[in-house]
Amino acid sequence: MNRTKSNNRPAKIILVNIGIMLAIVIIILVCTMHWISGYTMHGTYIKVPDVCGMNEENAAAVLHEAGLSYEISDVRFEKSMAAGMIIEQNPESGANVKLGREIYLTLNSGNQPTKAIPDLADNSSVREAESRLKSMGFNIAGIERINGDLDWVYGIKYHDQPVTAGTQLPEGSTLTIIAGNGNMILDLEEADSTDMVDDTFFDSML
């Protein structure tokens, strides 16, 4: 009988040790999860304030007060806003983020970008000119017709003034294309014979 009890004792000791080890592991896991939850503020969010329309200084103050940081991620031109104002923010206002989250801001440069007029006069058709100008961000007001080869480009106008290739104009400017109407003007000096000139031309000179 005593021998049986003696044989069971090591098994009990092993079971007790296993139980203690499991308890220690569970305590460690619980403490670790509790620490991680506190460190990451699990379940705690901050609503992103709206800083669009503010200048950088005011936007920075608002974001820092909310416990957030920021970075100017882009600069572009917006004609409806003053220079130095915040155009966009990411994440947007109202989004739920963690404390210390970085908010990316887009700043208004205040300088409207310009584009150079390409070499189109005597070098392209109306179709080609329209396609090229639109791809560069220009708008086309219409076609001004003059005597010349049909749909051949003879010039470009901006605010009713001719502009040459290389002229820098604000992006989005509205241009007028000067193109031929198909009515050719025959220069007398370039004619090979009088047969190519209307008979009434000479009658008018008598």
Side-chain angles (χ1 to χ4, degrees):
M1 187 71 176
N2 292 336
R3 184 177 297 175
T4 303
K5 288 183 179 180
S6 178
N7 290 337
N8 290 337
R9 188 174 299 169
K12 289 181 179 179
I13 293 174
I14 292 172
L15 289 175
V16 169
N17 289 336
I18 291 174
I20 293 172
M21 290 172 60
L22 287 174
I24 292 172
V25 170
I26 291 171
I27 291 172
I28 291 173
L29 286 175
V30 170
C31 291
T32 301
M33 293 301 293
H34 182 73
W35 178 83
I36 292 174
S37 177
Y39 180 77
T40 61
M41 299 187 68
H42 180 70
T44 302
Y45 297 96
I46 297 171
K47 279 193 177 297
V48 177
D50 186 4
V51 296
C52 289
M54 299 181 184
N55 59 34
E56 184 180 353
E57 184 179 354
N58 291 339
V62 170
L63 292 172
H64 288 159
E65 185 177 353
L68 304 170
S69 60
Y70 80 96
E71 178 184 334
I72 301 298
S73 60
D74 193 14
V75 177
R76 70 168 191 261
F77 175 72
E78 175 56 58
K79 63 181 179 181
S80 63
M81 299 176 68
M85 297 298 179
I86 306 300
I87 301 174
E88 290 180 359
Q89 62 180 80
N90 183 32
E92 297 180 352
S93 62
N96 292 321
V97 299
K98 295 291 184 67
L99 181 68
R101 171 68 183 272
E102 193 166 59
I103 308 301
Y104 299 99
L105 305 178
T106 299
L107 202 65
N108 186 19
S109 66
N111 298 317
Q112 186 169 8
T114 61
K115 292 286 182 70
I117 295 295
D119 186 12
L120 300 173
D122 286 326
N123 197 31
S124 64
S125 66
V126 168
R127 192 176 198 178
E128 292 170 337
E130 284 184 323
S131 176
R132 193 167 175 186
L133 290 171
K134 287 179 179 178
S135 69
M136 295 176 66
F138 292 113
N139 298 310
I140 308 301
I143 311 298
E144 181 181 317
R145 296 290 180 175
I146 62 172
N147 290 334
D149 293 334
L150 182 61
D151 286 339
W152 187 247
V153 175
Y154 290 98
I156 303 294
K157 279 186 176 182
Y158 174 63
H159 288 171
D160 291 327
Q161 297 297 320
V163 291
T164 57
T167 301
Q168 294 284 339
L169 295 178
E171 190 175 292
S173 296
T174 300
L175 308 175
T176 299
I177 297 175
I178 305 172
N181 57 14
N183 297 328
M184 300 301 298
I185 297 178
L186 183 61
D187 191 337
L188 186 60
E189 293 180 359
E190 296 177 357
D192 294 332
S193 70
T194 56
D195 292 335
M196 300 179 64
V197 184
D198 194 318
D199 293 336
T200 58
F201 177 82
F202 294 100
D203 294 338
S204 64
M205 299 181 65
L206 298 177

